[in-house]
Amino acid sequence: MRKFQKIILSLSLTILLSNNVYSIDNQNKYKTLMKNSNNISGEVEFIINKIKDRYDIPEASSEVSNMPWRNDKEFLKAKEKHNTPTLIAGFCAVLKDPLPGEEYNVNLAARKAKGLVVKPSDIFSQNTNIGPYTKVRGFKEGASYIGGNIIMTEGGGVCKVATTLYNLAVLSNLEIIERHNHSMPINYVPYGQDATVAYGVKDLRFKNTTESSILIWTEMIDNRLYMGFYGSEKPPKVIWNHEVKDIVAPSTKYIKNEKLNSGEMKTVLNGMDGATVKSTITITYGDGHYIIKNMGISHYQPLPKVIETN
């Protein structure tokens, strides 16, 4: 019986470790395992966990499937409790050079979203579930777009959570009830794929059009915001399409900074073109047929380049 068990185990681990994603250390663990059958269960758990600990680390914001919390006990308990075994969609927002206060507020908003459940036919609202974004609720001042200006407001930066939720809702083929683009472009997702919120004024809302509950899970690691939707089955394949036109080059603004050396110049914000963007998605179903869905038009004013000088 022990010999038979070792043969089955050997075949199973060969399959598990055949994708060239394991280290020399894991190979040595595998050899030790084959020599000492008394440690079978413990060693198998070590190797499998070692493999599962690997997760996607994209250089740019994108859809991901290997999430960092797959072995987290709290997540596994929540997934079982709400009967949401399947990753519907995963997304990682890579935040480039966060403005003051943003990273803290993104982290706080993400923690408030972690573990939220959207039942079938229910409408999720970011403002209702995560807001208001006030100091009383732990948020700090952060940079926000107001019209064509960047100003400091309470909760500035929570739009990065809205953008991530929006991309997940679209990838999950859910119904978008409300979405607003920023007044100026952002640098961490393509034009047309962003979403902004302002408590009591602008919200991000989507409807759970699936037949099961959707569990939301999040984690911020360094400058990457990971978020996943979990349910009962995978959605059809969704691909974004963007038509960009009416491009307007950014202006340059100079701000005096007496802390700089005489004659020194420092770029603190890179400009981005203004544009009008028509967005659609192509939804491809399992039988091969597809539809193209209109996702609206986004208008962006140019984001000025800001240079400090003395």
Side-chain angles (χ1 to χ4, degrees), residues 202-243:
K202 297 178 180 179
D203 199 359
L204 173 73
R205 296 187 297 145
F206 60 84
K207 183 177 182 179
N208 180 1
T209 50
T210 73
E211 296 181 355
S212 66
S213 293
I214 292 176
L215 171 67
I216 301 173
W217 210 260
T218 71
E219 186 171 346
M220 186 123 180
I221 302 176
D222 296 326
N223 67 325
R224 289 175 173 83
L225 172 61
Y226 291 87
M227 189 175 293
F229 283 3
Y230 292 82
S232 60
E233 61 182 27
K234 296 289 289 184
K237 181 65 178 177
V238 176
I239 297 178
W240 281 98
N241 315 292
H242 303 292
E243 179 185 344

Side-chain angles (χ1 to χ4, degrees), residues 90-138:
F91 193 83
C92 178
V94 182
L95 312 183
K96 301 177 181 179
D97 303 320
L99 294 170
E102 281 189 319
E103 194 166 350
Y104 175 88
N105 290 333
V106 172
N107 208 333
L108 178 59
R111 292 201 305 269
K112 291 181 182 294
K114 183 178 181 179
L116 293 176
V117 175
V118 189
K119 295 182 178 179
S121 298
D122 279 1
I123 294 176
F124 174 91
S125 158
Q126 173 165 325
N127 285 343
T128 299
N129 285 278
I130 302 176
Y133 317 107
T134 60
K135 290 183 180 179
V136 174
R137 301 192 70 245

Side-chain angles (χ1 to χ4, degrees), residues 60-277:
S61 299
S62 62
E63 185 176 4
V64 291
S65 57
N66 297 309
M67 313 306 285
W69 50 73
R70 287 180 299 170
N71 287 330
D72 181 82
K73 291 181 179 179
E74 182 185 359
F75 162 68
L76 294 174
K77 182 183 291 186
K79 192 167 67 164
E80 181 178 3
K81 175 182 177 180
H82 301 289
N83 191 25
T84 53
T86 302
L87 176 65
I88 302 174
F91 193 83
C92 178
V94 182
L95 312 183
K96 301 177 181 179
D97 303 320
L99 294 170
E102 281 189 319
E103 194 166 350
Y104 175 88
N105 290 333
V106 172
N107 208 333
L108 178 59
R111 292 201 305 269
K112 291 181 182 294
K114 183 178 181 179
L116 293 176
V117 175
V118 189
K119 295 182 178 179
S121 298
D122 279 1
I123 294 176
F124 174 91
S125 158
Q126 173 165 325
N127 285 343
T128 299
N129 285 278
I130 302 176
Y133 317 107
T134 60
K135 290 183 180 179
V136 174
R137 301 192 70 245
F139 290 95
K140 295 182 178 180
E141 285 196 342
S144 300
Y145 292 171
I146 301 295
N149 299 303
I150 301 175
I151 66 171
M152 300 298 288
T153 62
E154 287 186 355
V158 297
C159 294
K160 290 174 169 60
V161 172
T163 292
T164 306
L165 284 165
Y166 177 55
N167 278 269
L168 278 173
V170 172
L171 290 170
S172 301
N173 196 30
L174 304 179
E175 181 184 352
I176 306 301
I177 305 297
E178 182 181 356
R179 171 260 176 182
H180 305 272
N181 64 274
H182 289 78
S183 58
M184 295 183 289
I186 58 176
N187 65 0
Y188 57 94
V189 293
Y191 288 53
Q193 286 181 223
D194 62 302
T196 185
V197 292
Y199 194 82
V201 181
K202 297 178 180 179
D203 199 359
L204 173 73
R205 296 187 297 145
F206 60 84
K207 183 177 182 179
N208 180 1
T209 50
T210 73
E211 296 181 355
S212 66
S213 293
I214 292 176
L215 171 67
I216 301 173
W217 210 260
T218 71
E219 186 171 346
M220 186 123 180
I221 302 176
D222 296 326
N223 67 325
R224 289 175 173 83
L225 172 61
Y226 291 87
M227 189 175 293
F229 283 3
Y230 292 82
S232 60
E233 61 182 27
K234 296 289 289 184
K237 181 65 178 177
V238 176
I239 297 178
W240 281 98
N241 315 292
H242 303 292
E243 179 185 344
V244 182
K245 59 182 181 179
D246 300 332
I247 297 174
V248 180
S251 61
T252 301
K253 291 185 178 181
Y254 295 92
I255 300 174
K256 186 174 180 61
N257 182 353
E258 295 181 350
K259 294 181 179 180
L260 298 177
N261 296 324
S262 178
E264 183 181 357
M265 301 176 69
K266 178 182 178 183
T267 300
V268 294
L269 185 64
N270 289 313
M272 295 183 69
D273 292 338
T276 296
V277 183

